Amino acid sequence: EPLKMGGAARCLSLTLLLLSPLLASAQHRCRLGDVRQPDGSFQLGSCEELLLFGESVGDGGAIKLAAALAGNTKLQLVDLWHNGVGAAGAKALGAAIAKNTVLKRLYLNENPLGAEGAKGIAAGLAKARGLRHLWLTRTNAGDEGAAALATALAANHVLEALDMWECGISGAGAEAIAVALKGRHDGLRTLELRGNAMGDRGARAFAALLPTNKPLSTLDLLNTGVSAEGRALLREGLRKAASLPYMVLFEDAIGPHQQRTSWEEKGQKNAP
């Protein structure tokens, strides 16, 4: 009987050992019920990912989350997609990312940030040293928000991906972003501006950017109102690209066009 018990104990120990990485992963991936306290504050504990998609925390929840986030040393991803966060919440989150050095990904898609909210995020981004991915799709940032983010990008050299689909950005806002990224040797590698009516003014600005910017490797300009002339400018800019970007997407008359560079032709295998 002792031998049987010993075998069962060893079997249980082995099972727990095999399951421990999965259990640990589950413990570090948190949802609203895991972190929100009765008074509305947030206790983030050992959470490494906070998944709040569609939880409608609003500005009040975002402000309280920002208070917990400012000094947090564990959380690496915050998903606030579609949460009713406006300018006030965005400003609080911007102040938090300016101080936090651990958070790598912040998803704010489909929140009504507006220009003022985008400015709040931009103020934090200018000082942020940890954030790598920022998603702001359908946040109504507009040209004012884009200009503020452009100023932040000029000061920030660690953000790797910025997603701003359908943000109401015209040629002026797109141009501001392109100018901010000129001559860079580090920083942003992926920029997504799909669905913003930047037109040929934006195309001209990005065509001028490509020969001067080394890190940018993916540029999404699909459905941005670029004419045949603008597309020709982009192709010429891509031909002269400083870093041979791996992918530039823009509209062709026959539908979406994916332009790849000579990277593959040269046989290089390190394309992003």
Side-chain angles (χ1 to χ4, degrees):
E1 182 67 16
L3 288 176
K4 290 182 181 179
M5 291 298 294
R10 283 195 298 274
C11 183
L12 178 60
S13 297
L14 180 59
T15 301
L16 290 174
L17 180 63
L18 292 172
L19 288 176
S20 60
L22 296 175
L23 293 172
S25 175
Q27 289 171 351
H28 294 159
R29 183 172 292 166
C30 303
R31 299 188 183 276
L32 186 60
D34 301 320
V35 297
R36 189 158 66 178
Q37 305 304 299
D39 63 357
S41 65
F42 284 75
Q43 293 293 331
L44 300 175
S46 60
C47 296
E48 294 180 359
E49 297 182 3
L50 184 56
L51 309 178
L52 302 180
F53 179 89
E55 291 285 3
S56 301
V57 301
D59 279 336
I63 290 169
K64 291 185 176 181
L65 172 58
L69 186 60
N72 182 268
T73 59
K74 295 284 187 183
L75 201 60
Q76 297 181 36
L77 181 153
V78 172
D79 180 358
L80 278 168
W81 196 316
H82 194 59
N83 264 270
V85 178
K91 289 177 181 178
L93 290 167
I97 63 173
K99 299 175 182 177
N100 186 294
T101 59
V102 177
L103 186 69
K104 298 292 187 290
R105 297 171 181 265
L106 178 60
Y107 303 157
L108 286 168
N109 293 6
E110 298 182 358
N111 284 290
L113 306 187
E116 292 306 309
K119 289 177 184 178
I121 294 295
L125 182 62
K127 300 176 182 178
R129 295 297 174 264
L131 198 65
R132 297 294 187 269
H133 293 250
L134 177 61
W135 293 7
L136 297 173
T137 283
R138 302 186 190 100
T139 53
N140 302 316
D143 284 338
E144 280 189 61
L149 287 160
T151 300
L153 287 172
N156 182 296
H157 291 257
V158 297
L159 190 73
E160 296 176 355
L162 177 61
D163 178 343
M164 295 188 73
W165 288 24
E166 300 174 15
C167 276
I169 298 170
S170 75
E175 184 178 61
I177 293 173
V179 169
L181 296 175
K182 261 192 171 183
R184 293 288 288 270
H185 294 267
D186 56 12
L188 206 66
R189 300 183 70 227
T190 297
L191 176 61
E192 302 197 18
L193 292 175
R194 183 179 303 201
N196 290 290
M198 69 172 200
D200 285 354
R201 179 176 178 179
R204 190 173 297 107
F206 282 109
L209 164 70
L210 289 171
T212 74
N213 182 295
K214 290 188 179 298
L216 192 65
S217 59
T218 300
L219 177 61
D220 185 345
L221 302 177
L222 279 171
N223 193 26
T224 52
V226 178
S227 73
E229 180 183 351
R231 294 194 294 272
L233 290 171
L234 283 169
R235 285 194 180 90
E236 180 62 16
L238 182 58
R239 187 181 68 79
K240 299 176 180 178
S243 63
L244 296 176
Y246 182 63
M247 189 185 301
V248 174
L249 299 174
F250 51 91
E251 294 288 325
D252 256 343
I254 59 172
H257 175 78
Q258 181 168 302
Q259 175 79 24
R260 292 186 184 274
T261 71
S262 59
W263 222 335
E264 291 93 332
E265 296 170 17
K266 293 183 177 180
Q268 296 192 32
K269 301 186 184 298
N270 60 338

